[in-house]
Amino acid sequence: MSNIPANLKYTKSHEWVRAEADGTLTIGITDHAQDLLGDLVFIELPDLGKELAVGQEAAVVESVKAAADVYAPLAGTVTEVNQAAADAPESVNQDAYATWLFKIKPANAADVDALLDAAAYQQTIDAA
Amino acid sequence: MTQKTVLNETHRRFGAKMVDFGGWDMPVNYGSQIEEHHAARRDCGMFDVSHMCMVDLAGADVKRFLLRLIANNVDKLKLSGKALYSAMLNEAGGVIDDLIVYYLDDTRYRMVINAGTAEKDLAWMAARLAEWQLEVSITPRRSGEDPLAIIAVQGPNARAKVWQVLPQTRSATETLKPFFAATVGEYFIASTGYTGEDGFEIALPAAQADALWQALADAGVQPCGLGARDTLRLEAGMNLYGQDMDETVSPLDAGLAWTVDLAAPRDFVGKSALLAKPQQQQFLGLLLQDRGVLRAHQKVITAQGEGEITSGTFSPTLQQSIALARLPLGVAIGDSVKVEIRDKQLNAKVVKPVFARNGSIVVQ
């Protein structure tokens, strides 16, 4: 069984999304994604203030063996990035849900409801 | 159809993450690729390389055949067990494969060819044999009646671990010089490898491979996947077929000039093409000065023109990104160049294409 917390939302492209009380969304990659990639060695974060369209490439995570894009789960503006994650990429391998990558202020807060819940994300992994 | 080595179930038992590698279901890691890399540099790691194909060549014409077939000169092999690294070229001078050939005696040689190119290589060899009307038996040993498995045991403690598990092989291999092989009973033990570390590559009857793997693991040898194998060979500055060279690339442009014997009067396939078209590019190393990871096919911008990365990765030993690249003539060791990564141009330094060997960083 994969590690998929029930309190988060997910995308088919293996991002997790947490809705914060202040209306921002915190975004990272799932435990399944870090497991597929292997040891992470580099993270490129988006620029603060960058406007992202849904599905747009927002960040890059690179393991020893491959580079993978992290996509914006929904449209919005980057409000914060986690420099500590970029400084220690292996922390994503250690705990993918504790190590967020960036936060966005969504253009339309209701968009978050369209994301996958934990059960639906589990199904997409199982189907792959 | 996906092919499997005899150790496929063993890898699963050891918790391997399996991936498709050129049609072979192979372990990429057993947990952390970086830890496996460090184990081979600092202690001892083992790799299943049974997907590579050993080929036995025998017959009165075998030396004449190899003198024409490959770019390096088997006439250099005078002592039984001595190994030679060589490219096998097509008529245009492109690399069909890179291989190791061991001299056993005047009528017997053993060759190791790459996994994904084996069928192509064997067809090429059979065709040349017919064309040249020579009598040589060519017996691939990856499958068939007496298939062989190959386990590479690499690292500063590799010899000690092998002797602990296979004490009967010690006397025959203790004095083995680099790039030699000894036959001990059913084991063919070579002091070769693809990591830049000391160690052995052990070919043995496939049916015994699982027991040897388990015994080595019990002796503390770290199972290593193809992921660590790739970062180790890249740090050691060793070429990977299909990535650093292929049928469209001259060995002279892939850093393999040292393996091509153009001086001897003998003729070999591709020689006239190489003489007609001398070196066009240099094969050099890159050290990334900025944060990021160099990857194959990234563009390199130099004062002398553009080049291309052929292999790149994050080096666990150096803790920075390294690459092998084909660069224009005139670029010198120590030059600063730019590498295009996505929408950025990052700074890299040109170095000799050897980064780490024998447990140590060797690049400046």
Side-chain angles (χ1 to χ4, degrees):
Chain A
M1 268 304 284
S2 299
N3 175 12
I4 305 175
N7 61 326
L8 302 177
K9 293 283 199 175
Y10 300 90
T11 67
K12 281 183 185 171
S13 49
H14 310 295
E15 290 86 11
W16 59 261
V17 180
R18 186 173 64 224
E20 308 293 355
D22 65 0
T24 62
L25 301 173
T26 302
I27 293 153
I29 66 167
T30 64
D31 187 59
H32 179 70
Q34 71 77 23
D35 186 55
L36 287 178
L37 283 162
D39 296 323
L40 292 187
V41 293
F42 177 69
I43 297 175
E44 188 176 305
L45 296 168
D47 293 332
L48 282 177
K50 184 167 182 174
E51 304 230 350
L52 296 169
V54 60
Q56 188 180 342
E57 294 151 12
V60 180
V61 288
E62 299 209 31
S63 69
V64 187
K65 68 180 186 214
D69 289 314
V70 182
Y71 301 101
L74 32 72
T77 309
V78 177
T79 58
E80 209 176 331
V81 298
N82 187 2
Q83 191 56 43
D87 290 340
E90 66 277 8
S91 56
V92 176
N93 294 116
Q94 286 151 10
D95 191 341
Y97 300 110
T99 312
W100 59 279
L101 299 179
F102 58 95
K103 299 188 182 202
I104 63 175
K105 185 178 191 318
N108 179 4
D111 287 351
V112 76
D113 297 332
L115 296 172
L116 305 175
D117 63 16
Y121 179 59
Q122 178 72 58
Q123 281 179 9
T124 67
I125 294 176
D126 294 344
Chain B
M1 205 190 87
T2 306
Q3 304 193 73
K4 295 176 178 176
T5 75
V6 70
L7 288 169
N8 192 275
E9 286 300 320
T10 313
H11 299 316
R12 293 170 189 279
R13 193 169 79 235
F14 278 79
K17 184 185 291 291
M18 305 297 287
V19 295
D20 179 87
F21 176 80
W24 287 78
D25 186 47
M26 296 298 288
V28 64
N29 64 57
Y30 301 81
S32 166
Q33 174 175 340
I34 289 178
E35 289 309 312
E36 292 165 20
H37 179 108
H38 289 321
R41 279 266 176 269
R42 297 169 183 169
D43 180 12
C44 185
M46 61 177 161
F47 306 80
D48 174 20
V49 287
S50 308
H51 58 316
M52 298 186 73
C53 186
M54 279 202 163
V55 184
D56 286 336
L57 300 106
D61 291 335
V62 65
K63 185 177 177 185
R64 286 173 61 202
F65 178 57
L66 290 172
L67 282 169
R68 274 180 89 172
L69 183 74
I70 62 177
N72 211 336
N73 191 347
V74 292
D75 203 31
K76 294 174 185 170
L77 303 175
K78 307 289 189 195
L79 296 171
S80 181
K82 180 64 183 159
L84 184 75
Y85 175 71
S86 180
M88 181 163 72
L89 306 179
N90 57 30
E91 290 292 352
V95 182
I96 293 174
D97 202 0
D98 66 333
L99 55 89
I100 287 177
V101 61
Y102 298 91
Y103 167 73
L104 303 179
D105 62 44
D106 286 340
T107 61
R108 293 189 309 136
Y109 289 77
R110 172 168 274 185
M111 195 182 262
V112 185
I113 56 181
N114 278 303
T117 48
E119 304 305 325
K120 172 186 83 167
D121 294 358
L122 291 166
W124 173 265
M125 286 192 260
R128 298 291 74 70
L129 205 56
E131 179 190 339
W132 301 334
Q133 299 185 332
L134 296 173
E135 290 289 333
V136 179
S137 72
I138 299 177
T139 313
R141 299 294 302 276
R142 192 165 63 179
S143 55
E145 276 181 29
D146 302 303
L148 296 175
I150 313 173
I151 298 174
V153 188
Q154 301 276 294
N157 297 322
R159 284 171 183 251
K161 296 290 187 189
V162 169
W163 293 332
Q164 181 187 332
V165 170
L166 299 173
Q168 71 275 26
T169 66
R170 180 165 186 154
S171 64
T173 56
E174 212 159 17
T175 55
L176 208 59
K177 293 195 184 78
F179 242 61
F180 265 92
T183 301
V184 186
E186 290 181 298
Y187 301 103
F188 179 82
I189 301 183
S191 54
T192 50
Y194 198 46
T195 60
E197 296 299 320
D198 191 20
F200 293 132
E201 292 181 304
I202 304 169
L204 73 168
Q208 298 175 29
D210 175 73
L212 178 59
W213 186 274
Q214 183 66 55
L216 287 165
D218 291 344
V221 178
Q222 168 71 51
C224 299
L226 293 182
R229 186 169 164 81
D230 191 51
T231 51
L232 287 159
R233 71 91 192 168
L234 222 164
E235 284 186 354
M238 294 170 167
N239 293 41
L240 173 62
Y241 188 79
Q243 204 160 327
D244 300 307
M245 70 289 197
D246 58 33
E247 292 192 13
T248 68
V249 176
S250 161
L252 307 180
D253 297 338
L256 297 177
W258 63 278
T259 72
V260 179
D261 182 13
L262 290 169
R266 81 188 166 104
D267 193 20
F268 60 85
V269 180
K271 185 181 185 183
S272 57
L274 296 187
L275 289 172
K277 191 181 176 196
Q279 185 182 3
Q280 309 287 306
Q281 286 176 301
Q282 305 184 85
F283 192 73
L284 292 168
L286 295 177
L287 267 182
L288 186 63
Q289 306 295 299
D290 298 321
R291 290 175 67 161
V293 185
L294 303 171
R295 304 281 183 192
H297 310 304
Q298 287 167 350
K299 189 198 289 182
V300 185
I301 300 154
T302 81
Q304 288 77 18
E306 286 180 3
E308 185 183 348
I309 289 177
T310 54
S311 291
T313 192
F314 176 84
S315 157
T317 304
L318 277 70
Q319 289 290 308
Q320 73 188 105
S321 184
I322 61 173
L324 300 172
R326 277 196 293 273
L327 302 177
L329 298 176
V331 173
I333 306 288
D335 281 3
S336 292
V337 298
K338 301 272 188 192
V339 180
E340 228 170 66
I341 303 181
R342 292 180 286 274
D343 55 347
K344 295 189 172 72
Q345 288 193 353
L346 302 184
N347 295 296
K349 186 173 142 191
V350 179
V351 296
K352 282 186 197 166
V354 185
F355 302 92
R357 283 193 181 196
N358 299 312
S360 304
I361 295 170
V362 294
V363 74
Q364 294 302 310

